[in-house]
């Protein structure tokens, strides 16, 4: 039987989002807008931290966000997120982004990001 006092595995927080990149996600150069990728990264990080904390969480810091390669319109983007460190109320989440060209299946690791989330109660205080 599962013991509710047992430490939770970080791996249990792991989630994957997938989204097709459409023309409305383009920047002026015709690639995917970096801000759109940041939004997806934050959403995935929030979901992983919520899953780990079993609480609402808010983003408190984006420690690092690297764009290794551009993402093209028509690519299928996978966003993988996992809690990598848990403090008292805060959690560090590692987010990794991969773009797949659907016809060839070729995948490129395009982004790595580290964000910090804090679990909050109904009043918005750290919980
Ligand atoms: C997140 C928030 C509730 C924290 O409140 P706070 O009064 O700073 O809380 P505390 O000082 O008690 O810190 C709580 C935890 O966050 C961590 N923390 C606070 N600021 C941090 C920062 N800039 N970077 C990393 N961790 C931070 C603390 O180390 C602490 O971690 P621990 O409990 O694991 O030891 C508050 O800052 C807030 O509401 N921020 C706005 C969040 C938001 O609107 N995000 C965007 C939309 S989701």
């Amino acid at each position: 039987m599962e013991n509710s006092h047992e430490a939770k595995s970080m791996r249990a927080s792991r989630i994957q989002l997938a989204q097709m990149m459409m023309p409305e996600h383009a920047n002026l150069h015709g690639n995917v807008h970096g801000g759109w990728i940041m939004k997806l990264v934050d959403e995935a990080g929030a979901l992983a931290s919520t899953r780990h904390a079993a609480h609402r969480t808010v983003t408190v810091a984006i420690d690092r966000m690297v764009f290794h390669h551009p993402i093209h319109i028509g690519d299928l983007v996978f966003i993988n997120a996992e809690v990598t460190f848990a403090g008292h109320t805060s959690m560090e989440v590692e987010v990794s982004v991969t773009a797949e060209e659907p016809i060839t299946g070729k995948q490129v690791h395009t982004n790595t990001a580290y964000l910090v989330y804090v679990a909050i109660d109904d009043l918005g205080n750290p919980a």
Side-chain angles (χ1 to χ4, degrees):
M1 186 187 291
E2 194 170 315
N3 180 344
S4 61
H5 297 291
E6 271 178 21
K8 239 182 210 176
S9 142
M10 306 257 181
R11 193 174 292 179
S13 69
R14 192 180 283 176
I15 65 127
Q16 183 180 67
L17 304 181
Q19 191 171 96
M20 184 67 90
M21 293 297 105
M22 303 297 281
E24 62 263 32
H25 303 134
N27 61 22
L28 290 176
H29 313 294
N31 295 319
V32 174
H33 195 289
W36 183 257
I37 299 302
M38 291 176 78
K39 176 181 181 292
L40 294 176
V41 162
D42 188 34
E43 281 175 4
L47 280 167
S49 62
T50 299
R51 185 178 253 187
H52 184 78
H55 257 276
R56 286 169 54 204
T57 66
V58 287
T59 317
V60 70
I62 299 174
D63 281 345
R64 185 176 156 88
M65 172 93 198
V66 180
F67 293 82
H68 304 293
H69 297 284
I71 299 177
H72 304 110
I73 305 305
D75 282 355
L76 177 60
V77 164
F78 297 100
I79 304 109
N80 294 286
E82 181 176 342
V83 171
T84 47
F85 174 81
H88 183 53
T89 66
S90 67
M91 291 151 280
E92 179 195 65
V93 180
E94 181 184 72
V95 185
S96 168
V97 182
T98 301
E100 178 179 312
E101 205 287 300
I103 294 174
T104 61
K106 187 182 172 213
Q107 291 196 342
V108 179
H109 174 224
T110 56
N111 302 80
T112 310
Y114 291 89
L115 303 91
V116 182
Y117 295 84
V118 174
I120 55 164
D121 62 19
D122 291 343
L123 299 174
N125 298 314

